[in-house]
Amino acid sequence: MTDQTPSSPTSSLAAPQMKPWIAAIHAYVPGRSTGADGRALIKLSANENPLGTSPAALAARDDAGPAHLYPDPDSAALRTAIAELHGLHPSRIVCGTGSGELLTVAASAFAGPGDEVLYVRYGFSLYEIAARRCGATPVEAPDADYGTDVDALLACVTPATRVVFVANPNNPTGSYLGADDLARLHAGLPPHVLLVLDQAYAEYVAPEQDDGGLALAATHGNVLVTRTFAKAYGLAAERVGWGYGAPPVIDALNRIRGPFNINRGAQATALAALADQDFVNRSRAHNATVRARFMEAMAALGNHGLRPLPSEANFVLVLFEGPLTAAAALAGLAEQGYIVRHLPGQGLPQGLRITIGTAEQMDAIAGILARLADPAQ
Ligand SMILES: *Cc1c(COP(=O)(O)O)cnc(C)c1O
């Protein structure tokens, strides 16, 4: 009895075994800031704010307080300020380490093995990771010429569906569902299916074009809206996002989010950024003007096969459907000092997602693409 080797079903394995649903995940690929040769390039690959950050927010970050004490675990002051700005109740708000944390915990709280998590083809790449990491099955609905197709999404709902992710505006396509289409999508979902409406780019949408997501979440138990400080607020480095939904949904997210998920500096910085709506409004106005001019320049290259997709976000997905390929355009832009986003891993070898930078940067990019498309020019 004493000299018996203990045996267990796993004793023959040489190393810890990743769960199969984790092994099926391809890690998130962030936007690059260097070329293939390691050279630093002008980064228009991650939808960061070309105006930088509100100076008031930066000052608050420098003055955030002691580092040896844990931050407020509930981000109470920040949640109160968000609630005031948007006319919401703070108890229905949860903050996340970026909205990415909230997307992940939303899937984990409401889906698991045997359940399905649904989103559109050409959706945000984090949705697949969020679905797989809780053991659920990711399901992709067909797109409508790269846009979100409400009927196709609804047709993919099965008895196993638990969570539907919709980014509005969508990344990487820039497409946008108006309030009527969004309401129709929600009305077609069974009440036990959670609609996660990812509004990472909402601040770039003109107020009169609001998709009504916050109002839907205010009146229905199965809608979670997520927002971020990473884009229009210019705080990508601080990792702050927030979600809004019915109390049971927020309760579920609070159980599994990181206990001190918004660090002290990030809480202070986001609070000050929220108070500087002038910065956000300038970001929106800049984006609308420069994006319209860039769209026009891309549309003018239509005879060379370039096709910019309509965008309500701070980027444009340009399709290369002629002799100039997206891969060649990516290389040509890198040669001239710019890095943009090529997403062949997401089934988009034919497109480049180009963040709206400064007016000078976008004019330069348009000029480079025009020369690449028409070398005789
Ligand atoms: C950028 C982005 C986010 C924001 O992620 P954070 O974690 O808040 O930085 C969320 N959803 C989409 C679709 C995005 O493009």
Side-chain angles (χ1 to χ4, degrees), residues 14 44 64 71 75 85 101 130 141 143 161 176 204 207 244 262 358 368 377:
L44 296 175
S75 304
L85 178 68
E101 182 190 21
D143 59 297
T161 307
Y176 190 63
Y204 287 109
Y244 172 73
I262 317 294
T358 66
I368 295 163
Q377 181 189 284

Side-chain angles (χ1 to χ4, degrees), residues 98-100 103 124 127 167 171 198 200-201 228 230-231 239:
S99 53
L103 300 172
F124 186 37
Y127 303 155
N171 173 14
D198 176 348
Y201 301 96
T228 183
K231 308 284 163 50
R239 315 303 308 124

